Short mmCIF file of all heavy atoms in Angstrom, two decimals:
data_model
loop_
_atom_site.label_atom_id
_atom_site.label_comp_id
_atom_site.label_asym_id
_atom_site.label_seq_id
_atom_site.Cartn_x
_atom_site.Cartn_y
_atom_site.Cartn_z
N PHE A 1303 0.85 -1.19 0.00
CA PHE A 1303 0.00 0.00 0.00
C PHE A 1303 0.89 1.24 0.00
O PHE A 1303 1.36 1.70 1.03
CB PHE A 1303 -0.92 -0.02 1.21
CG PHE A 1303 -2.06 0.95 1.14
CD1 PHE A 1303 -2.70 1.21 -0.06
CD2 PHE A 1303 -2.52 1.60 2.28
CE1 PHE A 1303 -3.76 2.09 -0.13
CE2 PHE A 1303 -3.58 2.49 2.22
CZ PHE A 1303 -4.20 2.73 1.01
N THR A 1304 1.12 1.77 -1.20
CA THR A 1304 1.97 2.94 -1.34
C THR A 1304 1.12 4.21 -1.39
O THR A 1304 -0.12 4.15 -1.44
CB THR A 1304 2.81 2.83 -2.62
OG1 THR A 1304 1.91 2.80 -3.75
CG2 THR A 1304 3.65 1.56 -2.61
N PHE A 1305 1.80 5.36 -1.40
CA PHE A 1305 1.07 6.62 -1.45
C PHE A 1305 0.36 6.81 -2.79
O PHE A 1305 -0.68 7.46 -2.86
CB PHE A 1305 2.04 7.79 -1.20
CG PHE A 1305 2.38 7.97 0.25
CD1 PHE A 1305 3.57 7.49 0.76
CD2 PHE A 1305 1.51 8.61 1.12
CE1 PHE A 1305 3.89 7.64 2.10
CE2 PHE A 1305 1.81 8.77 2.46
CZ PHE A 1305 3.00 8.28 2.96
N VAL A 1306 0.91 6.22 -3.86
CA VAL A 1306 0.23 6.27 -5.15
C VAL A 1306 -1.08 5.48 -5.08
O VAL A 1306 -2.13 5.95 -5.54
CB VAL A 1306 1.14 5.73 -6.26
CG1 VAL A 1306 0.38 5.65 -7.58
CG2 VAL A 1306 2.38 6.60 -6.41
N ARG A 1307 -1.01 4.29 -4.48
CA ARG A 1307 -2.23 3.49 -4.32
C ARG A 1307 -3.20 4.16 -3.36
O ARG A 1307 -4.42 3.94 -3.47
CB ARG A 1307 -1.86 2.08 -3.85
CG ARG A 1307 -1.15 1.25 -4.92
CD ARG A 1307 -1.02 -0.20 -4.50
NE ARG A 1307 -0.51 -1.02 -5.59
CZ ARG A 1307 0.76 -1.30 -5.78
NH1 ARG A 1307 1.68 -0.84 -4.93
NH2 ARG A 1307 1.15 -2.05 -6.80
N LEU A 1308 -2.70 4.92 -2.42
CA LEU A 1308 -3.59 5.66 -1.52
C LEU A 1308 -4.43 6.67 -2.30
O LEU A 1308 -5.62 6.83 -2.02
CB LEU A 1308 -2.77 6.37 -0.44
CG LEU A 1308 -3.56 7.24 0.55
CD1 LEU A 1308 -4.57 6.40 1.33
CD2 LEU A 1308 -2.62 7.97 1.50
N GLU A 1309 -3.84 7.32 -3.30
CA GLU A 1309 -4.59 8.26 -4.11
C GLU A 1309 -5.64 7.54 -4.96
O GLU A 1309 -6.76 8.04 -5.14
CB GLU A 1309 -3.65 9.06 -5.01
CG GLU A 1309 -2.71 9.98 -4.25
CD GLU A 1309 -3.45 10.94 -3.34
OE1 GLU A 1309 -4.40 11.59 -3.82
OE2 GLU A 1309 -3.08 11.03 -2.15
N VAL A 1310 -5.28 6.35 -5.47
CA VAL A 1310 -6.26 5.56 -6.21
C VAL A 1310 -7.41 5.15 -5.29
O VAL A 1310 -8.59 5.18 -5.68
CB VAL A 1310 -5.59 4.33 -6.84
CG1 VAL A 1310 -6.63 3.45 -7.54
CG2 VAL A 1310 -4.52 4.74 -7.82
N PHE A 1311 -7.05 4.78 -4.05
CA PHE A 1311 -8.08 4.40 -3.08
C PHE A 1311 -9.00 5.58 -2.78
O PHE A 1311 -10.23 5.40 -2.64
CB PHE A 1311 -7.41 3.91 -1.80
CG PHE A 1311 -8.37 3.55 -0.71
CD1 PHE A 1311 -9.16 2.41 -0.79
CD2 PHE A 1311 -8.51 4.36 0.41
CE1 PHE A 1311 -10.05 2.08 0.21
CE2 PHE A 1311 -9.40 4.04 1.42
CZ PHE A 1311 -10.17 2.89 1.32
N LYS A 1312 -8.45 6.78 -2.72
CA LYS A 1312 -9.29 7.96 -2.50
C LYS A 1312 -10.25 8.17 -3.67
O LYS A 1312 -11.42 8.55 -3.47
CB LYS A 1312 -8.42 9.20 -2.32
CG LYS A 1312 -7.63 9.25 -1.02
CD LYS A 1312 -6.78 10.51 -0.98
CE LYS A 1312 -5.91 10.58 0.26
NZ LYS A 1312 -5.05 11.77 0.27
N MET A 1313 -9.77 7.93 -4.88
CA MET A 1313 -10.65 8.06 -6.05
C MET A 1313 -11.78 7.05 -6.00
O MET A 1313 -12.93 7.37 -6.31
CB MET A 1313 -9.83 7.90 -7.33
CG MET A 1313 -8.77 8.99 -7.55
SD MET A 1313 -7.72 8.67 -8.99
CE MET A 1313 -8.92 8.82 -10.30
N LEU A 1314 -11.44 5.81 -5.60
CA LEU A 1314 -12.49 4.80 -5.44
C LEU A 1314 -13.44 5.18 -4.32
O LEU A 1314 -14.64 4.94 -4.39
CB LEU A 1314 -11.87 3.43 -5.17
CG LEU A 1314 -11.16 2.75 -6.34
CD1 LEU A 1314 -10.44 1.50 -5.86
CD2 LEU A 1314 -12.15 2.40 -7.43
N LEU A 1315 -12.89 5.76 -3.27
CA LEU A 1315 -13.71 6.16 -2.12
C LEU A 1315 -14.72 7.23 -2.52
O LEU A 1315 -15.83 7.28 -1.98
CB LEU A 1315 -12.81 6.68 -1.01
CG LEU A 1315 -13.38 6.74 0.41
CD1 LEU A 1315 -13.72 5.35 0.90
CD2 LEU A 1315 -12.40 7.42 1.36
N GLY A 1316 -14.35 8.06 -3.46
CA GLY A 1316 -15.26 9.13 -3.87
C GLY A 1316 -16.20 8.75 -4.99
O GLY A 1316 -17.18 9.47 -5.24
N SER A 1317 -15.95 7.63 -5.69
CA SER A 1317 -16.80 7.26 -6.82
C SER A 1317 -17.49 5.91 -6.62
O SER A 1317 -18.70 5.79 -6.87
CB SER A 1317 -15.96 7.20 -8.10
OG SER A 1317 -14.90 6.26 -7.98
N PHE A 1318 -16.75 4.92 -6.17
CA PHE A 1318 -17.31 3.58 -6.07
C PHE A 1318 -18.13 3.38 -4.80
O PHE A 1318 -19.24 2.85 -4.85
CB PHE A 1318 -16.19 2.54 -6.14
CG PHE A 1318 -16.64 1.14 -5.82
CD1 PHE A 1318 -17.45 0.44 -6.70
CD2 PHE A 1318 -16.28 0.53 -4.64
CE1 PHE A 1318 -17.87 -0.84 -6.41
CE2 PHE A 1318 -16.69 -0.75 -4.34
CZ PHE A 1318 -17.49 -1.44 -5.23
N PHE A 1319 -17.60 3.79 -3.66
CA PHE A 1319 -18.25 3.46 -2.40
C PHE A 1319 -19.60 4.14 -2.20
O PHE A 1319 -20.53 3.49 -1.68
CB PHE A 1319 -17.30 3.76 -1.23
CG PHE A 1319 -16.12 2.85 -1.18
CD1 PHE A 1319 -14.86 3.27 -1.59
CD2 PHE A 1319 -16.26 1.53 -0.76
CE1 PHE A 1319 -13.77 2.43 -1.56
CE2 PHE A 1319 -15.18 0.67 -0.72
CZ PHE A 1319 -13.93 1.11 -1.12
N PRO A 1320 -19.81 5.39 -2.59
CA PRO A 1320 -21.19 5.93 -2.49
C PRO A 1320 -22.18 5.14 -3.34
O PRO A 1320 -23.30 4.86 -2.91
CB PRO A 1320 -21.03 7.37 -2.99
CG PRO A 1320 -19.60 7.70 -2.78
CD PRO A 1320 -18.86 6.42 -3.00
N LEU A 1321 -21.72 4.77 -4.54
CA LEU A 1321 -22.60 3.98 -5.41
C LEU A 1321 -22.84 2.60 -4.82
O LEU A 1321 -23.96 2.06 -4.87
CB LEU A 1321 -21.95 3.87 -6.79
CG LEU A 1321 -22.85 3.47 -7.97
CD1 LEU A 1321 -23.97 4.46 -8.15
CD2 LEU A 1321 -22.02 3.38 -9.24
N ALA A 1322 -21.78 2.01 -4.24
CA ALA A 1322 -21.92 0.67 -3.64
C ALA A 1322 -22.88 0.70 -2.46
O ALA A 1322 -23.68 -0.23 -2.26
CB ALA A 1322 -20.55 0.16 -3.20
N LEU A 1323 -22.83 1.76 -1.65
CA LEU A 1323 -23.74 1.86 -0.51
C LEU A 1323 -25.18 1.95 -0.98
O LEU A 1323 -26.08 1.32 -0.40
CB LEU A 1323 -23.38 3.08 0.34
CG LEU A 1323 -22.11 2.97 1.19
CD1 LEU A 1323 -21.83 4.31 1.89
CD2 LEU A 1323 -22.25 1.86 2.21
N MET A 1324 -25.42 2.73 -2.04
CA MET A 1324 -26.79 2.83 -2.56
C MET A 1324 -27.26 1.48 -3.11
O MET A 1324 -28.40 1.07 -2.88
CB MET A 1324 -26.85 3.90 -3.64
CG MET A 1324 -28.26 4.21 -4.10
SD MET A 1324 -28.33 5.26 -5.55
CE MET A 1324 -27.83 4.11 -6.82
N ILE A 1325 -26.37 0.78 -3.83
CA ILE A 1325 -26.73 -0.52 -4.39
C ILE A 1325 -27.03 -1.51 -3.28
O ILE A 1325 -28.02 -2.27 -3.33
CB ILE A 1325 -25.60 -1.03 -5.29
CG1 ILE A 1325 -25.48 -0.16 -6.53
CG2 ILE A 1325 -25.84 -2.49 -5.70
CD1 ILE A 1325 -24.23 -0.43 -7.35
N LEU A 1326 -26.18 -1.53 -2.23
CA LEU A 1326 -26.41 -2.44 -1.12
C LEU A 1326 -27.71 -2.11 -0.40
O LEU A 1326 -28.44 -3.01 0.04
CB LEU A 1326 -25.23 -2.38 -0.14
CG LEU A 1326 -23.92 -3.00 -0.63
CD1 LEU A 1326 -22.82 -2.77 0.39
CD2 LEU A 1326 -24.10 -4.49 -0.88
N ALA A 1327 -28.01 -0.82 -0.26
CA ALA A 1327 -29.25 -0.43 0.41
C ALA A 1327 -30.47 -0.90 -0.38
O ALA A 1327 -31.45 -1.39 0.20
CB ALA A 1327 -29.29 1.08 0.60
N VAL A 1328 -30.40 -0.79 -1.71
CA VAL A 1328 -31.54 -1.18 -2.55
C VAL A 1328 -31.68 -2.70 -2.62
O VAL A 1328 -32.72 -3.27 -2.27
CB VAL A 1328 -31.39 -0.57 -3.96
CG1 VAL A 1328 -32.47 -1.11 -4.89
CG2 VAL A 1328 -31.47 0.94 -3.90
N LEU A 1329 -30.61 -3.37 -3.06
CA LEU A 1329 -30.69 -4.82 -3.23
C LEU A 1329 -30.77 -5.54 -1.90
O LEU A 1329 -31.48 -6.55 -1.77
CB LEU A 1329 -29.48 -5.31 -4.02
CG LEU A 1329 -29.38 -4.82 -5.46
CD1 LEU A 1329 -28.20 -5.46 -6.16
CD2 LEU A 1329 -30.66 -5.10 -6.22
N GLY A 1330 -30.04 -5.05 -0.89
CA GLY A 1330 -30.10 -5.70 0.42
C GLY A 1330 -31.48 -5.64 1.03
O GLY A 1330 -31.97 -6.63 1.60
N SER A 1331 -32.14 -4.49 0.91
CA SER A 1331 -33.49 -4.38 1.47
C SER A 1331 -34.47 -5.28 0.75
O SER A 1331 -35.43 -5.78 1.34
CB SER A 1331 -33.96 -2.92 1.39
OG SER A 1331 -33.96 -2.47 0.05
N ILE A 1332 -34.24 -5.56 -0.56
CA ILE A 1332 -35.12 -6.46 -1.30
C ILE A 1332 -34.84 -7.91 -0.94
O ILE A 1332 -35.74 -8.68 -0.58
CB ILE A 1332 -34.95 -6.24 -2.83
CG1 ILE A 1332 -35.43 -4.86 -3.24
CG2 ILE A 1332 -35.72 -7.30 -3.61
CD1 ILE A 1332 -35.17 -4.54 -4.70
N VAL A 1333 -33.56 -8.31 -1.05
CA VAL A 1333 -33.19 -9.71 -0.88
C VAL A 1333 -33.45 -10.20 0.53
O VAL A 1333 -33.92 -11.33 0.74
CB VAL A 1333 -31.72 -9.92 -1.29
CG1 VAL A 1333 -31.25 -11.32 -0.94
CG2 VAL A 1333 -31.53 -9.67 -2.78
N PHE A 1334 -33.18 -9.37 1.53
CA PHE A 1334 -33.35 -9.81 2.91
C PHE A 1334 -34.74 -9.52 3.47
O PHE A 1334 -34.99 -9.70 4.65
CB PHE A 1334 -32.30 -9.14 3.80
CG PHE A 1334 -30.91 -9.64 3.54
CD1 PHE A 1334 -30.01 -8.89 2.80
CD2 PHE A 1334 -30.51 -10.89 4.00
CE1 PHE A 1334 -28.73 -9.35 2.54
CE2 PHE A 1334 -29.23 -11.36 3.73
CZ PHE A 1334 -28.34 -10.59 3.00
N GLY A 1335 -35.65 -9.06 2.61
CA GLY A 1335 -37.04 -8.94 3.01
C GLY A 1335 -37.37 -7.71 3.82
O GLY A 1335 -38.45 -7.64 4.42
N PHE A 1336 -36.49 -6.71 3.85
CA PHE A 1336 -36.80 -5.50 4.60
C PHE A 1336 -37.77 -4.60 3.85
O PHE A 1336 -38.43 -3.76 4.46
CB PHE A 1336 -35.51 -4.72 4.91
CG PHE A 1336 -34.54 -5.48 5.75
CD1 PHE A 1336 -33.23 -5.62 5.37
CD2 PHE A 1336 -34.94 -6.09 6.93
CE1 PHE A 1336 -32.32 -6.33 6.13
CE2 PHE A 1336 -34.06 -6.81 7.70
CZ PHE A 1336 -32.74 -6.93 7.30
N ALA A 1337 -37.83 -4.73 2.54
CA ALA A 1337 -38.71 -3.87 1.74
C ALA A 1337 -39.12 -4.63 0.48
O ALA A 1337 -38.43 -5.55 0.03
CB ALA A 1337 -37.99 -2.56 1.37
#
């Protein structure tokens, strides 16, 4: 885990993880019977 990879991780943190949280909230609530 270098400082270059840390910057890539920040980019993923700003683009992938918000989208992943929304996807998990939608699909998780369906699959596990919450909604």
Side-chain angles (χ1 to χ4, degrees):
F1303 195 36
T1304 62
F1305 282 100
V1306 174
R1307 290 190 172 93
L1308 177 61
E1309 294 305 310
V1310 176
F1311 178 71
K1312 290 179 183 178
M1313 296 174 66
L1314 288 172
L1315 199 63
S1317 59
F1318 170 71
F1319 291 104
L1321 198 59
L1323 287 176
M1324 188 190 73
I1325 293 169
L1326 289 176
V1328 173
L1329 295 184
S1331 59
I1332 294 175
V1333 172
F1334 291 102
F1336 299 128

